[in-house]
């Protein structure tokens, strides 16, 4: 009996006639639909094409589906539209100005704006005289002051806020033509800030305290104890309104302040009794919001009749 062995393993019939996977696109989905066999499903996961949804104003696709440069540019554009920094994640920690408590103490020498200190921002307060500033010296005899009771820095923002608060109260309760408000201090001292980066790689870009002299950030006024911050002159019938207006302006300043009623006549240097006596003697001349006292010095030819005075001591 002869047994014949086959020389090769017969090939199954289903391997010879398997058709290649066919692609069929549906109208409702953009991904191709493949057959459901195991090898075909693996092939389907490799060939799937995800749509780009950024053209119609929708949210951006994932970062791995776009180039690095294109994605960073889109983030930067979004940040500029929202008013923030760029989309690269690098920003400074001075998104808002530092609070005034950081600069309240007077420590160093005065640092005014000059040709050596350039790029100083403008102060917030631009108006120092409010109300009827052209009224004569005889119109407003009453005067009250807001006096600082601490040695400190007062920012220009605080001066502007106090001016607005005092002016608003006096305008409402006394009338806009019944007072004269004057801000007595000016912000000449320049404040500095050393900008620091707050990002992932900030330690590679900055050097700590090396070159720590800051850039100008704002301006303030250096005030001493007993220095007048605000002054209001008005008529005697509005004296309580003026004191209440300065009391409300106190809340805009740091530290302590006192409201002191002046013994002087308006903004002059003469007491009220002396001013009335000099005026009765025809010895005083009005000079805007101030007054000039005629003494015994100078040429007699320059004096008008009845205005040549000699001291009682001579």
């Amino acid at each position: 009996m002869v047994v014949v062995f086959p020389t090769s393993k017969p090939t199954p019939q289903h391997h010879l006639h398997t058709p290649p996977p066919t692609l069929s696109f549906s109208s409702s989905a953009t991904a191709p639909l493949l057959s459901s066999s195991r090898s075909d499903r693996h092939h389907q996961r490799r060939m799937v094409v995800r749509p780009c949804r950024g053209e119609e104003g929708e949210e951006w696709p994932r970062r791995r589906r776009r180039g690095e440069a294109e994605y960073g540019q889109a983030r930067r554009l979004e940040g500029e539209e929202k008013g923030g920094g760029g989309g690269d994640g690098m920003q400074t920690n001075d998104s808002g100005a530092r609070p005034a408590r950081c600069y309240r103490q007077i420590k160093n020498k005065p640092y005014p704006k000059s040709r050596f200190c350039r790029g100083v921002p403008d102060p917030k307060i631009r108006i120092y005289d409010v109300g009827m500033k052209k009224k004569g010296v005889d119109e407003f005899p009453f005067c009250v002051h807001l006096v600082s009771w601490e040695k400190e820095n007062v920012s220009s923002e605080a001066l502007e806020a106090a001016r607005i608060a005092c002016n608003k109260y006096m305008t409402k309760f006394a009338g806009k033509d019944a007072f004269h408000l004057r801000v007595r201090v000016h912000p000449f001292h320049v404040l500095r800030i050393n900008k620091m980066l707050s990002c992932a790689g900030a330690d590679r870009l900055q050097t700590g305290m090396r070159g720590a002299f800051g850039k100008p950030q704002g301006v303030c006024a250096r005030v001493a104890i007993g220095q007048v911050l605000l002054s209001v002159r008005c008529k005697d019938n509005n004296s309580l309104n003026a004191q209440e207006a300065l009391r409300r302006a106190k809340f805009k300043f740091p530290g302590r302040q006192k409201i002191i009623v002046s013994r002087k006549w308006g903004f002059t240097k003469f007491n009220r009794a002396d001013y009335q006596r000099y005026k009765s003697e025809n010895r005083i001349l009005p000079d805007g919001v101030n007054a000039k006292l005629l003494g015994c010095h100078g040429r007699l030819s320059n004096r008008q009749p009845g205005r040549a005075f000699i001291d009682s001591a001579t």
Side-chain angles (χ1 to χ4, degrees):
M1 182 176 179
V2 180
V3 179
V4 179
F5 295 95
T7 58
S8 62
K9 188 176 180 179
T11 304
Q13 297 297 324
H14 65 276
H15 280 214
L16 295 179
H17 301 286
T18 302
T22 58
L23 297 177
S24 61
F25 290 90
S26 174
S27 59
S28 61
T30 57
L33 302 177
L34 306 180
S35 57
S36 60
S37 63
R38 183 173 182 179
S39 61
D40 295 340
R41 284 199 302 269
H42 177 71
H43 187 67
Q44 179 182 6
R45 286 197 299 269
R46 296 182 60 185
M47 292 183 60
V48 63
V49 180
R50 298 185 183 274
C52 180
R53 297 174 294 172
E55 288 79 2
E56 299 297 332
E58 302 178 3
E59 61 179 358
W60 292 106
R62 298 178 181 177
R63 186 165 185 169
R64 58 184 177 85
R65 301 303 304 170
R66 298 175 61 120
E68 295 290 334
E70 187 179 359
Y71 185 85
Q73 183 179 4
R75 288 288 304 275
R76 282 191 293 271
L77 291 177
E78 290 178 358
E80 291 176 1
E81 292 177 358
K82 295 180 180 179
D88 52 357
M90 184 179 299
Q91 58 183 355
T92 56
N93 60 358
D94 61 330
S95 57
R98 284 180 182 175
R101 63 175 177 267
C102 301
Y103 300 97
R104 179 178 168 185
Q105 182 181 1
I106 297 179
K107 296 186 296 183
N108 302 321
K109 298 178 181 179
Y111 188 58
K113 180 180 179 180
S114 64
R115 68 178 186 271
F116 310 107
C117 176
R118 300 180 299 272
V120 179
D122 294 332
K124 296 298 181 182
I125 180 170
R126 307 297 294 179
I127 301 173
Y128 294 88
D129 283 276
V130 184
M132 302 304 293
K133 58 185 178 181
K134 293 185 179 181
K135 283 282 188 179
V137 65
D138 296 328
E139 299 289 336
F140 297 141
F142 180 81
C143 182
V144 60
H145 304 295
L146 181 64
V147 181
S148 174
W149 223 242
E150 288 190 15
K151 181 182 179 181
E152 59 183 355
N153 288 328
V154 178
S155 64
S156 61
E157 290 83 1
L159 292 174
E160 175 68 7
R163 183 193 68 84
I164 292 174
C166 185
N167 180 42
K168 184 175 295 185
Y169 186 88
M170 288 297 293
T171 303
K172 182 177 180 180
F173 291 95
K176 63 180 181 180
D177 56 348
F179 72 99
H180 176 200
L181 167 65
R182 174 173 288 181
V183 181
R184 301 285 296 274
V185 293
H186 290 244
F188 290 133
H189 182 67
V190 179
L191 303 175
R192 300 188 300 264
I193 181 173
N194 183 22
K195 292 184 179 180
M196 306 291 288
L197 298 175
S198 60
C199 59
D203 53 345
R204 298 177 179 269
L205 302 177
Q206 60 191 10
T207 56
M209 292 301 295
R210 180 184 299 175
F213 195 87
K215 299 294 188 295
Q217 183 200 18
V219 288
C220 69
R222 296 159 63 98
V223 299
I225 297 176
Q227 186 172 356
V228 180
L229 299 177
L230 302 177
S231 297
V232 178
R233 66 183 183 114
C234 59
K235 294 184 182 296
D236 291 330
N237 56 353
N238 289 322
S239 59
L240 296 180
N241 292 329
Q243 296 179 47
E244 175 63 19
L246 291 183
R247 190 194 69 85
R248 298 191 176 209
K250 282 172 56 177
F251 298 106
K252 308 301 179 182
F253 291 116
R256 295 172 297 171
Q257 294 83 29
K258 288 186 178 294
I259 299 174
I260 298 178
V261 177
S262 176
R263 298 191 185 99
K264 309 294 182 181
W265 182 280
F267 288 167
T268 65
K269 61 180 180 180
F270 308 108
N271 292 333
R272 300 189 67 165
D274 295 340
Y275 182 86
Q276 292 176 351
R277 179 169 57 88
Y278 291 148
K279 188 176 181 181
S280 64
E281 296 175 357
N282 201 16
R283 196 173 177 181
I284 201 166
L285 290 177
D287 184 24
V289 299
N290 293 313
K292 290 182 180 181
L293 180 64
L294 297 178
C296 59
H297 296 280
R299 292 178 176 271
L300 291 176
S301 59
N302 296 335
R303 298 294 181 88
Q304 296 179 1
R307 291 186 180 274
F309 301 98
I310 300 177
D311 293 339
S312 59
T314 60

